[in-house]
């Protein structure tokens, strides 16, 4: 394989002019990546003084901020592993530290007096970065060693933990670079949580190839884009849909498309990146016609970036061709299977029994569970998702089936189907048992289900269907499975009405 | 061009909501997330547009300020000290 990017960026101080900007509403910090590297080294020295070193695991539970990425690079420099936790999904408590075997946890969450001794405010990293550096023992990561644990939605409700190999990170970065040629003058904007490893890829890319990187939060992204003037924006469909609606309002007011786009995204966009969930074809067309090329790709946490449309090979409706080092096979059931030269891993580190075997197959193959087809030129088309996944606008994924099953298993309802009409939370449409509807029992079941669910899975309202779902009324398949789209169509008004239904307390 | 902040805020909020409701019908005391289903992304778009229209510098506010703006009334109250508009 070509040079290891990870090993190069920890060993060599950047000799290019690339810069990092961390910004949000009301604040902005910019520094050369060479200075950032120096500060990360100072943090690495501070971690070593605290007894953290090779083989240890550093938890990071924080919103995007400079200290997050300083810690990430510092951990790489001392061969410690990181575990990035999404804020709001995890709490900085003893349970987290014990469950994920953390040697230290840095967090921006307030720490109470009885907080575990291994939990520390992430703000202390800013002070560490100012301290003098000492020589660090040189380290080298092997291709099959894992720099980080990433977390992905689990079938049991608890996130599955997956360790990512250096080989998969290096391979993905080299592959993406071969398609998009990020270079000095580029500024890649990332705003999704840094707990998602792929968002940190762009820092590694900047350190290695010398382009700029800007890190912000999804709360601030629209506020900072016009002044940051990125050339590349790493987004998800819900983000681009929101931006499209805003741009359409501007166009309706008579603003020229190019001017409207520049007012929202800045005036230097080279291309837009979307992935993580299927993009709406009309949204993709809108951007391409507005002069903002947008490229959709496909991949899972377990496979990393697998296919990608790009300037050299772009086919509408597809998610692109496989990246170098990836191979797609459609199995006999039409399921997309991905073989990687450098797999992310061959099993989960933290998962329910059977989860790893269902996903990871021999020979570096991952059976995605998604249905797809390849055309004669090797472009992949995703035809359906085997699991019903709701992707929120901040890229959080919720697998709804386990929650629906939990509700049905209370016995209070015959069936349950979940929707996400607004960020207020999930809305359930339930099929009552035949006969008089027992709203008290359904309300109790709602409380029980919410108590057993993760914060993101909380159901805020329950709409009780006017009649049970049946095959005859068109709401169940012949195998008696609820038909999600028809149920949504029939109860759309109540799903969208925030005052309708039984509310959670 | 409206001459008061309240009217301007209603119009800008209507713009970012999916169904573009009548600005006059918007309730300044209703929760932006719970009632109007406004997302974090839409909220900052709303504030950005409103600040531009009201000629208020966006740099006057932090993410914490944004989080405290739970209702349309909160947004208007937050902008008022900085706005050349009356209302």
């Amino acid at each position: 394989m070509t040079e290891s990017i990870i090993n190069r960026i920890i060993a060599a101080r950047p000799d290019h002019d690339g810069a990092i900007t961390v910004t949000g509403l009301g604040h902005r910090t910019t520094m050369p990546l060479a200075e950032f590297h120096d500060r990360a080294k100072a943090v690495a020295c501070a971690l070593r003084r605290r007894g953290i070193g090779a083989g240890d695991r550093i938890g990071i539970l924080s919103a995007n901020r400079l200290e997050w990425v300083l810690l990430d690079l510092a951990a790489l420099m001392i061969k410690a592993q990181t575990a990035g936790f999404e804020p709001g999904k995890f709490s900085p408590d003893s349970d987290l530290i014990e469950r994920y075997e953390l040697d230290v946890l840095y967090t921006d969450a307030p720490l109470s007096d009885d907080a575990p001794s291994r939990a520390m405010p992430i703000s202390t990293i800013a002070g560490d970065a100012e301290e003098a550096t000492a020589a660090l023992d040189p380290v080298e990561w092997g291709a099959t060693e894992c720099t980080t644990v990433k977390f992905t939605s689990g079938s049991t409700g608890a996130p599955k933990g997956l360790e990512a190999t250096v080989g998969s990170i290096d391979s993905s970065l080299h592959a993406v670079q071969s398609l998009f040629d990020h270079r000095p003058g580029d500024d890649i904007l990332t705003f999704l949580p840094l707990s998602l490893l792929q968002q940190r890829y762009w820092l590694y890319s900047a350190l290695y190839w010398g382009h700029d990187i800007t890190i912000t939060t999804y709360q601030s992204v629209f506020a900072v884009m016009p002044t940051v003037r990125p050339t590349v924006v790493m987004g998800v469909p819900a983000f681009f849909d929101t931006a499209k609606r805003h741009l359409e309002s501007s166009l309706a007011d008579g603003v020229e498309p190019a001017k409207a786009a520049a007012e929202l995204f800045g005036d230097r966009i080279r291309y837009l990146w979307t992935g993580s969930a299927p993009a709406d074809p009309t949204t993709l067309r809108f951007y391409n016609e507005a002069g903002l090329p947008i490229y959709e790709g496909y991949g899972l946490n377990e496979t990393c970036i697998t296919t990608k449309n790009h300037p050299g090979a772009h086919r509408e409706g597809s998610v692109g061709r496989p990246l170098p080092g990836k191979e797609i096979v459609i199995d006999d059931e039409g399921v997309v299977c991905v073989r990687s030269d450098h797999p992310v891993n061959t099993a989960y580190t933290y998962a329910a029994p059977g989860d790893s075997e269902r996903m990871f197959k021999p020979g570096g193959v991952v059976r995605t569970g998604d249905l797809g087809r390849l055309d004669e030129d090797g472009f992949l088309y995703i035809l359906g998702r085997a699991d019903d996944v709701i992707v929120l606008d901040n890229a959080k994924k919720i697998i709804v089936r386990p929650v629906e099953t939990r509700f049905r298993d209370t016995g209070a309802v015959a069936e349950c189907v979940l929707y996400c009409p607004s960020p207020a939370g999930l809305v359930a449409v339930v099929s009552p048992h035949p006969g008089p509807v027992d709203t008290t029992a359904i309300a109790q079941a709602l409380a029980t289900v919410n108590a057993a669910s993760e914060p993101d899975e909380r159901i805020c309202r329950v709409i009780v269907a006017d009649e049970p779902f049946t095959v005859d009324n068109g709401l169940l398949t012949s195998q008696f499975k609820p038909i999600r789209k028809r149920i949504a169509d029939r109860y759309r008004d109540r799903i969208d009405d925030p005052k309708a239904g039984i509310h959670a307390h | 061009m409206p001459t008061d902040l309240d009217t301007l805020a209603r119009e800008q909020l209507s713009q970012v909501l999916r169904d573009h409701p009548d600005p006059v019908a918007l309730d300044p005391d209703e929760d932006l997330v719970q009632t109007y289903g406004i997302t974090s992304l839409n909220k900052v778009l709303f504030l950005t547009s409103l600040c531009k229209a009201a000629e208020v510098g966006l740099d006057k506010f932090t993410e914490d300020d944004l989080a405290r703006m739970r209702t349309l009334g909160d947004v208007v109250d937050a902008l008022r000290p900085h706005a050349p508009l009356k209302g």
Side-chain angles (χ1 to χ4, degrees):
Chain A
M1 185 158 125
T2 44
E3 182 182 50
S4 164
I5 291 163
I6 292 294
N7 284 319
R8 169 72 190 275
I9 64 172
I10 59 178
R13 184 178 192 264
D15 58 359
H16 51 66
D17 295 329
I20 180 170
T21 297
V22 180
T23 185
L25 270 174
H27 70 91
R28 182 164 303 185
T29 302
T30 299
M31 70 179 72
L33 282 163
E35 182 186 332
F36 173 82
H37 195 271
D38 294 342
R39 286 169 178 255
K41 191 175 177 186
V43 173
C45 292
L47 291 170
R48 290 296 299 115
R49 286 195 298 275
R50 279 177 212 137
I52 304 290
D56 290 331
R57 187 178 286 165
I58 301 168
I60 307 174
L61 169 57
S62 168
N64 292 2
R65 56 194 289 166
L66 181 61
E67 292 86 348
W68 212 125
V69 277
L70 283 168
L71 253 177
D72 189 56
L73 185 59
L76 289 171
M77 288 174 171
I78 58 172
K79 224 176 165 183
Q81 195 185 64
T82 52
F85 299 101
E86 205 170 293
K89 209 166 183 167
F90 297 90
S91 300
D93 52 24
S94 304
D95 181 50
L96 186 79
I97 289 170
E98 298 305 325
R99 190 186 325 155
Y100 296 113
E101 303 160 279
L102 306 179
D103 296 283
V104 63
L105 171 67
Y106 285 96
T107 182
D108 64 352
L111 292 170
S112 56
D113 291 342
D114 59 351
S117 59
R118 276 179 279 172
M120 298 182 67
I122 196 169
S123 54
T124 60
I125 294 297
D128 295 339
E130 301 286 342
E131 292 183 13
T133 56
L136 285 169
D137 293 335
V139 301
E140 181 151 333
W141 292 85
T144 57
E145 293 183 302
C146 298
T147 66
T148 193
V149 188
K150 49 185 185 174
F151 295 92
T152 184
S153 304
S155 56
T156 59
K160 290 176 287 198
L162 176 68
E163 292 177 89
T165 59
V166 169
S168 71
I169 298 169
D170 285 341
S171 165
S172 294
L173 281 166
H174 279 296
V176 167
Q177 184 66 9
S178 72
L179 307 184
F180 290 100
D181 188 23
H182 297 133
R183 52 193 180 267
D186 270 325
D187 187 345
I188 295 183
L189 177 77
T190 177
F191 62 90
L192 296 168
L194 290 164
S195 53
L196 302 167
L197 172 62
Q198 195 177 306
Q199 302 312 306
R200 279 127 67 197
Y201 274 13
W202 315 122
L203 171 68
Y204 309 155
S205 172
L207 287 161
Y208 192 83
W209 278 290
H211 59 79
D212 295 343
I213 177 168
T214 296
I215 296 169
T216 185
T217 63
Y218 70 91
Q219 291 95 332
S220 290
V221 62
F222 284 124
V224 304
M225 273 198 304
T227 49
V228 166
R229 302 172 63 228
T231 59
V232 180
V233 178
M234 297 289 169
V236 290
F239 165 78
F240 291 116
D241 289 342
T242 301
K244 170 175 167 268
R245 282 198 299 276
H246 181 81
L247 288 170
E248 284 170 333
S249 296
S250 298
L251 300 184
D253 292 340
V255 181
E256 291 290 315
K259 185 168 185 288
E263 281 179 354
L264 188 59
F265 284 93
D267 59 353
R268 293 203 308 147
I269 292 294
R270 185 155 75 86
Y271 78 91
L272 306 172
W273 171 297
T274 186
S276 149
D280 182 339
T282 59
T283 298
L284 298 176
R285 209 166 300 126
F286 174 87
Y287 283 103
N288 285 318
E289 287 171 1
L292 298 173
I294 185 165
Y295 298 108
E296 186 177 17
Y298 172 75
L300 310 180
N301 264 313
E302 293 81 353
T303 62
C304 198
I305 308 159
T306 300
T307 66
K308 191 75 190 171
N309 281 299
H310 61 93
H314 183 207
R315 191 159 290 179
E316 195 172 321
S318 83
V319 289
R321 283 179 173 149
L323 267 63
K326 301 286 185 192
E327 182 188 357
I328 302 279
V329 175
I330 309 294
D331 75 7
D332 294 345
E333 294 173 37
V335 172
V336 177
C337 299
V338 180
R339 196 200 60 76
S340 303
D341 288 350
H342 297 276
V344 174
N345 211 310
T346 53
Y348 297 111
T349 308
Y350 302 98
D355 279 349
S356 288
E357 292 76 5
R358 269 190 294 277
M359 181 65 73
F360 298 97
K361 305 299 176 186
V365 172
V366 168
R367 189 175 190 271
T368 66
D370 291 328
L371 307 170
R373 72 172 176 88
L374 289 166
D375 71 10
E376 63 282 5
D377 297 316
F379 287 86
L380 177 67
Y381 297 77
I382 299 298
L383 307 174
R385 304 279 161 168
D387 278 314
D388 292 307
V389 176
I390 289 175
V391 181
L392 305 181
D393 62 2
N394 58 4
K396 286 183 185 175
K397 288 185 178 180
I398 300 168
I399 298 179
V400 295
R401 201 169 299 166
V403 188
E404 294 171 345
T405 303
R406 206 173 295 149
F407 206 129
R408 196 185 57 214
D409 290 350
T410 63
V413 298
E415 277 294 354
C416 168
V417 184
L418 288 175
Y419 302 96
C420 187
S422 86
L426 300 176
V427 174
V429 178
V430 297
S431 170
H433 291 298
V437 175
D438 186 346
T439 52
T440 306
I442 294 172
Q444 282 173 346
L446 172 62
T448 304
V449 171
N450 279 340
S453 298
E454 299 289 317
D456 287 339
E457 298 171 340
R458 187 173 180 276
I459 301 169
C460 65
R461 286 186 292 121
V462 175
I463 311 297
V464 182
D466 298 332
E467 57 181 353
F469 306 160
T470 64
V471 177
D472 288 342
N473 66 19
L475 299 183
L476 292 180
T477 67
S478 55
Q479 286 83 39
F480 303 99
K481 289 180 183 169
I483 302 173
R484 186 174 296 278
K485 187 174 182 318
R486 283 194 200 153
I487 295 163
D489 291 344
R490 196 159 307 180
Y491 292 100
R492 172 57 56 201
D493 290 351
R494 276 179 266 177
I495 292 170
D496 288 344
D497 179 358
K499 298 198 186 309
I502 300 167
H503 288 244
H505 295 293
Chain B
M1 177 75 180
T3 54
D4 73 282
L5 194 57
D6 182 70
T7 304
L8 202 55
R10 287 167 179 274
E11 288 180 353
Q12 295 293 335
L13 178 59
S14 171
Q15 289 264 321
V16 299
L17 296 178
R18 191 163 302 190
D19 304 328
H20 302 316
D22 180 358
V24 178
L26 295 170
D27 185 334
D29 298 323
E30 285 283 2
D31 189 285
L32 292 169
V33 173
Q34 300 293 337
T35 301
Y36 295 121
I38 197 166
T39 64
S40 302
L41 290 170
N42 270 326
K43 196 171 174 186
V44 77
L45 265 178
F46 163 50
L47 184 68
T48 306
S49 305
L50 180 57
C51 281
K52 191 175 167 194
E55 296 168 13
V56 173
L58 197 60
D59 56 352
K60 300 277 193 291
F61 306 104
T62 66
E63 283 181 24
D64 288 343
D65 294 332
L66 188 68
R68 281 191 289 268
M69 298 178 195
R70 296 183 195 285
T71 67
L72 186 61
D74 291 342
V75 176
V76 172
D77 289 345
L79 260 71
R80 189 170 287 119
H82 309 288
L85 291 172
K86 301 291 171 234

